[in-house]
Amino acid sequence: MRGWRNAVQETAASKPLFLTIYATVILGTVVSSFYVFSAIYSPTASPTRSISSSWLLAPPLSQNGVSLSSNISQPSQHRSNKLRPIWEAPSRTSKMPRLKSFRLTKELVAQRAKDNVIIVTFGNFAFMDFILTWVKHLTDLGVSNLLVGAMDTKLLKALYWKGIPVFDMGSHISTDDVGWGSPIFHKMGRQKVLLINAILPFGFELLMCDTDMVWLKNPLPYLARYPDADILTSSDQVVPTVVDDRLADWKQVGAAYNIGIFHWRPTPPAKKLAKEWIDMLLADDRIWDQNGFNELVRRQTGPAFDDESGIFYSYDGNLKLGILPESLFCSGHTYFVQALHQQFRLQPFALHTTFQYAGTEGKRHRLREAMVFFDPPEYYDAPGGFLSFRPSISKSLLLDGEHNLESHFSLINYQMRQIRSALAIASVLNRTLVLPPLWCRLDRLWFPHPGALLGSLTRQPFLCPLDHVFEVNVMLRDLPAEEFGPAINIREYSFLNNPFLPQRVRESWLDVQLCQEGTEDCHASSNTSRPGLLRFPKRSSEETLKKVFSSFKDVKVIQFSSMQDAFLGFTDKTREEKFRKRVKQYVGIWCCVENHIPGHIYYDMYWDEKPGWKPIPPKTPEDDHPPF
């Protein structure tokens, strides 16, 4: 049997007459072909369905983690009785259905759709935690008309046993993470366009999403406000074009239309665009799917469809397009850097982890910083407990003088030195470090800029994502202990405020006040002046830390009042060298200086050991290497 991808291309190029003939040949008789045709393509859902879709459709687990039901729902003419709630897993005593039962069909989409709308994402096993987060946000919002496309069998099975509505994309792609811009990345992009071409002929509206975004508010009522639009798409626009909940001003949107969030209606202009788009991509595997989309729809921009909606004509002059507002359907820049929704007092619908660094781990960490990523319970109660500290930053470092390279690096370096000490103490005590919030004066981008994009509402200073300064993917990588010393686990700055943090962790807390040795009640002892508070000398040694804090090994969270001069240093010089080698890998670059090649500047974890250190880019390409 041909895969659904080939069927898409054939169907898109065929006429209804040939579809009927094709069905007749396959089924053998005119009667049976007519029955199948009417059952699949009729406007209303078929009253009968095979088990291939009944067990697919499956509510969150109850709060104690026990499945609410294990029975497979039986066929019914009423949608409310057809489907098990999402997250209700099949009985573990049941048998996994055959793979062909998971194929994408009109009947399957009809069973999941609501008000003729289906929401779809897809991915491989490496993105399963993103997919679960994506599904949970929607179901928490009361949205259940969703489907997930599995690009590998491992993901398909895992989602099925969790009760997630899933279908087989037949991609047979790697289960591993794929880097942005890699050949497999581009292959995955083409799968999206094939999927759009597969679903539009079914006659449903399609809200297509990437897995690295989350829904913060039900978007369907907003999308329904614009019934005349063939397509509504998000964008990479960072300069706001509207300050309320209207569609973006298309005349001012100069950035790329971003296909990570876009809504398609099954209109002739939309189908025509989808067909030309896939033909373009299949003819040239060097074209990035998003670039191809932008090239097509920007063939014509304007005129406006009307005076009010914000919809405009594009592509061939018949396609009606709308650009979703940048403050409500947020990119990684408008949400994490500018926080446009906060400045405009708006409640965003979506967050997409674009404009970020450190690969997939950087995306996870961003979503964790925003407390919108769903981790398993063990993430919130790590073995050995946690270590945190309250950063203290002077007003002059944050606000005084111009926002330039010198003031930005002075601010970052001051924080970096404290984080370095915290990493060392976490390593000594074998605790997971909860990182502090990080403040920046200058934005980070991948091209030259003046520090903050002109026209944007980037506030200076601003609370910047960790990946603006640190290589989050390296911090989380399993570096060989024999070369880099023991691993140091980290958590995001918002971790201790996360509502998923267990009460036993919140209540098991020790505050550590750094003090000058010799002053009253300041000595290296586990004796506390009052429960939950310990006064501890500055510049303590590795042995002192181990000795004193071994008495508090059952305490979940140890929080230092500061990290300024908290640690004297490692006694074991071999271990110290391994630690230094490890943390030197942790820092990234600031980018980019205007009118200079190379334009980036490397952060240096040990900047304070280099007299006269200045934030300057490499003078020549030969000097372009990290300060390892």
Side-chain angles (χ1 to χ4, degrees):
M1 181 181 293
R2 299 184 179 185
W4 66 269
R5 297 186 303 281
N6 292 334
V8 168
Q9 299 168 49
E10 293 176 4
T11 301
S14 301
K15 302 298 182 181
L17 176 60
F18 292 106
L19 284 176
T20 305
I21 295 173
Y22 182 75
T24 302
V25 172
I26 294 297
L27 299 173
T29 69
V30 173
V31 174
S32 59
S33 67
F34 175 79
Y35 175 80
V36 172
F37 184 87
S38 60
I40 297 178
Y41 290 96
S42 61
T44 58
S46 171
T48 60
R49 62 194 174 103
S50 66
I51 194 172
S52 67
S53 49
S54 66
W55 45 257
L56 277 175
L57 314 166
L61 298 177
S62 61
Q63 291 186 354
N64 61 7
V66 179
S67 177
L68 301 177
S69 172
S70 61
N71 294 325
I72 297 176
S73 56
Q74 297 302 314
S76 169
Q77 293 184 352
H78 302 287
R79 182 182 182 278
S80 60
N81 295 328
K82 279 183 179 181
L83 307 178
R84 291 195 311 260
I86 298 172
W87 297 105
E88 185 176 309
S91 170
R92 284 291 175 177
T93 60
S94 63
K95 184 179 180 181
M96 178 79 186
R98 291 181 298 175
L99 188 61
K100 69 177 184 180
S101 302
F102 291 90
R103 64 186 180 275
L104 180 66
T105 65
K106 183 178 181 180
E107 183 186 25
L108 172 60
V109 178
Q111 290 165 350
R112 293 298 335 167
K114 182 179 181 181
D115 298 327
N116 208 49
V117 179
I118 189 71
I119 310 173
V120 176
T121 193
F122 68 97
N124 65 349
F125 186 78
F127 283 83
M128 181 169 171
D129 52 351
F130 285 91
I131 291 170
L132 295 178
T133 294
W134 184 86
V135 173
K136 182 162 176 29
H137 274 283
L138 284 174
T139 55
D140 283 355
L141 292 167
V143 179
S144 60
N145 49 322
L146 62 91
L147 279 169
V148 177
M151 305 186 77
D152 60 74
T153 306
K154 187 176 181 181
L155 175 67
L156 187 147
K157 292 179 178 179
L159 293 179
Y160 166 71
W161 288 113
K162 286 187 175 290
I164 305 298
V166 61
F167 64 91
D168 180 21
M169 294 181 66
S171 308
H172 306 298
I173 204 166
S174 169
T175 59
D176 298 328
D177 189 8
V178 297
W180 189 95
S182 67
I184 298 180
F185 172 86
H186 287 297
K187 180 181 178 182
M188 291 178 71
R190 279 151 176 76
Q191 297 293 310
K192 176 191 295 184
V193 190
L194 287 164
L195 195 52
I196 293 169
N197 276 274
I199 295 176
L200 287 182
F202 294 161
F204 299 95
E205 296 183 28
L206 169 64
L207 178 53
M208 175 62 72
C209 318
D210 285 352
T211 57
D212 63 338
M213 60 81 55
V214 296
W215 292 106
L216 307 175
K217 185 178 176 182
N218 183 358
L220 299 180
Y222 184 90
L223 301 176
R225 286 168 50 180
Y226 303 96
D228 294 312
D230 297 305
I231 297 175
L232 294 167
T233 182
S234 60
S235 78
D236 289 335
Q237 182 74 13
V238 295
V239 177
T241 65
V242 292
V243 297
D244 50 26
D245 67 349
R246 293 174 296 168
L247 289 178
D249 185 342
W250 59 274
K251 294 181 180 178
Q252 297 183 38
V253 177
Y257 304 149
N258 190 291
I259 62 174
I261 308 171
F262 59 168
H263 178 259
W264 293 66
R265 288 191 170 89
T267 61
K271 293 177 183 177
K272 178 183 176 183
L273 171 62
K275 176 63 168 60
E276 185 171 355
W277 188 15
I278 191 57
D279 288 344
M280 168 193 282
L281 297 179
L282 294 178
D284 188 346
D285 58 9
R286 296 169 298 177
I287 299 176
W288 180 25
D289 56 343
Q290 181 165 289
N291 285 350
F293 177 80
N294 276 266
E295 179 181 332
L296 291 173
V297 296
R298 288 179 184 269
R299 284 178 181 172
Q300 176 179 330
T301 52
F305 170 69
D306 55 26
D307 295 331
E308 298 295 332
S309 67
I311 299 170
F312 63 101
Y313 289 102
S314 66
Y315 176 46
D316 60 355
N318 295 311
L319 183 85
K320 297 183 289 294
L321 183 66
I323 311 302
L324 297 168
E326 52 279 335
S327 57
L328 292 179
F329 295 81
C330 303
S331 69
H333 197 279
T334 59
Y335 189 93
F336 287 104
V337 177
Q338 297 186 64
L340 285 183
H341 58 288
Q342 295 177 359
Q343 299 200 58
F344 294 153
R345 302 294 190 268
L346 298 171
Q347 184 180 356
F349 287 96
L351 161 59
H352 190 190
T353 54
T354 55
F355 289 87
Q356 56 77 220
Y357 310 93
T360 303
E361 293 293 358
K363 294 177 183 289
R364 282 191 185 90
H365 197 84
R366 287 253 187 132
L367 295 176
R368 286 168 172 161
E369 287 181 333
M371 295 190 292
V372 295
F373 197 79
F374 294 109
D375 283 292
E378 55 268 24
Y379 182 81
Y380 301 98
D381 194 2
F386 303 97
L387 173 75
S388 71
F389 71 95
R390 293 189 293 271
S392 176
I393 307 173
S394 68
K395 168 187 171 294
S396 59
L397 282 172
L398 279 169
L399 301 174
D400 288 1
E402 295 182 359
H403 296 292
N404 54 33
L405 285 173
E406 288 73 22
S407 61
H408 171 74
F409 273 83
S410 294
L411 174 61
I412 293 296
N413 287 344
Y414 181 84
Q415 297 171 91
M416 188 183 299
R417 184 177 177 182
Q418 296 184 61
I419 292 172
R420 187 181 75 199
S421 292
L423 286 165
I425 294 176
S427 179
V428 169
L429 301 182
N430 195 27
R431 287 181 173 264
T432 295
L433 176 61
V434 179
L435 291 158
L438 190 65
W439 288 92
C440 293
R441 280 187 176 235
L442 300 185
D443 197 356
R444 175 183 177 179
L445 295 156
W446 54 91
F447 52 83
H449 62 95
L453 289 175
L454 297 177
S456 72
L457 296 187
T458 303
R459 294 169 290 186
Q460 295 176 276
F462 64 96
L463 191 64
C464 56
L466 186 69
D467 60 65
H468 270 215
V469 176
F470 289 86
E471 298 291 348
V472 179
N473 53 332
V474 178
M475 298 179 83
L476 298 175
R477 188 178 299 158
D478 188 18
L479 298 173
E482 59 273 14
E483 183 178 0
F484 297 98
I488 308 171
N489 295 321
I490 63 168
R491 294 292 187 268
E492 63 282 1
Y493 74 85
S494 58
F495 176 79
L496 296 176
N497 295 320
N498 197 303
F500 283 99
L501 195 71
Q503 193 66 25
R504 63 179 177 276
V505 176
R506 297 179 189 278
E507 295 176 349
S508 181
W509 196 287
L510 176 68
D511 271 316
V512 180
Q513 284 186 357
L514 291 178
C515 53
Q516 197 64 43
E517 191 169 13
T519 59
E520 186 179 358
D521 293 331
C522 185
H523 47 81
S525 169
S526 59
N527 294 328
T528 59
S529 56
R530 71 171 189 262
L533 175 67
L534 175 70
R535 287 173 57 79
F536 192 74
K538 294 181 180 181
R539 299 182 63 78
S540 294
S541 66
E542 178 181 355
E543 289 82 359
T544 302
L545 284 164
K546 288 181 177 178
K547 179 180 178 181
V548 172
F549 289 101
S550 64
S551 303
F552 300 100
K553 62 182 179 180
D554 294 329
V555 174
K556 296 294 184 181
V557 181
I558 295 177
Q559 178 168 274
F560 279 68
S561 61
S562 170
M563 273 295 157
Q564 195 70 23
D565 298 322
F567 184 52
L568 180 63
F570 291 96
T571 305
D572 185 338
K573 295 305 177 183
T574 300
R575 179 172 182 178
E576 180 176 4
E577 286 304 312
K578 290 181 179 180
F579 172 81
R580 290 171 66 94
K581 190 171 184 179
R582 171 179 287 276
V583 299
K584 283 181 179 181
Q585 313 281 324
Y586 283 2
V587 289
I589 62 172
W590 179 83
C591 193
C592 293
V593 176
E594 294 182 291
N595 303 317
H596 194 286
I597 299 177
H600 51 258
I601 303 173
Y602 289 98
Y603 291 107
D604 192 337
M605 184 67 88
Y606 288 93
W607 61 274
D608 52 331
E609 296 182 358
K610 301 175 181 178
W613 185 94
K614 297 289 183 183
I616 55 176
K619 293 182 179 179
T620 66
E622 290 72 27
D623 298 324
D624 185 13
H625 54 81
F628 295 168

